[in-house]
Amino acid sequence: MGLQSDALKQERMREFYDTSSYYTEKRGNFSDAANRFKRYSLKNIFSIYYPSKNEKIIDLGCGWGNISLGLQKRGFDVLSIDYSKQSIEICKKTARKLGLDDSRFLCRDATNTKLKSASFDVAYCADLIEHLYPHIYIDLLKEVHRILKKGGKLILYAPNPAHYLEILKRNNIILKEDVAHVDYKTIGRVKK
């Protein structure tokens, strides 16, 4: 029941991303240079791991494309996927606006990328895993293991469910709940 139930819920989530205003609301994207939160996030993500130029990189669940566009601006070749058509359209539009390669954004499911095994050195999953139901998260980890080269690096970046801002959001106190955050993962669960 769990896997099938999670798959159905995740499919409804995909529909939500493609039909709601999730990506079109004023949340900011990479082309919004004034967005301090996005710059802060990128700084934190790259402090976890900053790739070398010779590494083959994939950005799974790329959302607005902040990581991918940030790396492309710095001369990296990065492939970006998201299962939301709306997300990919926004990423491509932003890439063109910035004079970057829009062909590096593909509409694909991160749990079944259809990419060659052992073909990437680094996989970024930033602000993705809290959007995945438990069994889908396990499928993601299996797919990442398959597409990463031996010794490859998986970079996970997600909200801390115990952080006071996340608690306020989950309870709709001052901050609005993010309905797309369906399953927060604790650091203990991630390590396991």
Side-chain angles (χ1 to χ4, degrees):
M1 170 81 178
L3 178 59
Q4 187 175 10
S5 175
D6 283 357
L8 290 172
K9 289 188 274 188
Q10 201 68 52
E11 184 55 36
R12 284 195 298 273
M13 182 65 69
R14 178 196 316 251
E15 292 168 11
F16 166 79
Y17 290 125
D18 282 337
T19 60
S20 75
S21 61
Y22 186 82
Y23 283 112
T24 56
E25 289 176 352
K26 284 220 169 252
R27 295 176 182 259
N29 61 39
F30 187 82
S31 64
D32 178 9
N35 192 318
R36 283 187 6 205
F37 177 73
K38 296 300 177 189
R39 288 194 315 268
Y40 171 80
S41 294
L42 282 177
K43 179 182 171 195
N44 286 336
I45 292 162
F46 293 147
S47 76
I48 296 168
Y49 184 76
Y50 193 80
S52 62
K53 294 282 186 181
N54 63 336
E55 289 181 308
K56 196 164 178 195
I57 306 161
I58 187 163
D59 181 8
L60 298 166
C62 63
W64 288 274
N66 296 315
I67 292 172
S68 307
L69 296 165
L71 288 172
Q72 269 199 47
K73 277 189 78 172
R74 293 169 175 90
F76 289 91
D77 183 20
V78 56
L79 182 66
S80 312
I81 67 170
D82 199 291
Y83 75 172
S84 167
K85 292 174 190 165
Q86 194 173 157
S87 161
I88 295 302
E89 288 170 14
I90 288 169
C91 290
K92 286 178 174 269
K93 181 179 177 181
T94 305
R96 287 189 297 270
K97 182 178 176 180
L98 297 171
L100 301 173
D101 186 356
D102 70 342
S103 72
R104 304 301 293 161
F105 294 92
L106 303 175
C107 190
R108 301 235 179 130
D109 188 327
T111 65
N112 183 16
T113 64
K114 297 181 174 53
L115 298 169
K116 184 179 169 189
S117 296
S119 55
F120 293 92
D121 299 292
V122 181
Y124 284 97
C125 293
D127 293 316
L128 170 64
I129 64 174
E130 69 275 13
H131 297 262
L132 302 178
Y133 290 95
H135 286 89
I136 305 303
Y137 169 63
I138 299 301
D139 290 345
L140 170 75
L141 294 177
K142 289 176 184 175
E143 181 68 357
V144 169
H145 185 263
R146 186 187 71 76
I147 64 173
L148 278 178
K149 295 175 184 175
K150 185 175 178 152
K153 296 161 188 73
L154 168 60
I155 313 307
L156 294 174
Y157 181 81
N160 177 350
H163 192 277
Y164 75 95
L165 289 176
E166 295 304 321
I167 293 168
L168 290 174
K169 280 195 278 185
R170 275 196 313 277
N171 292 291
N172 274 320
I173 301 170
I174 303 170
L175 300 170
K176 184 180 173 186
E177 179 184 20
D178 188 338
V179 297
H181 289 190
V182 296
D183 185 40
Y184 285 92
K185 280 78 172 169
T186 62
I187 191 68
R189 190 166 153 207
V190 168
K191 285 180 178 180
K192 183 179 174 189

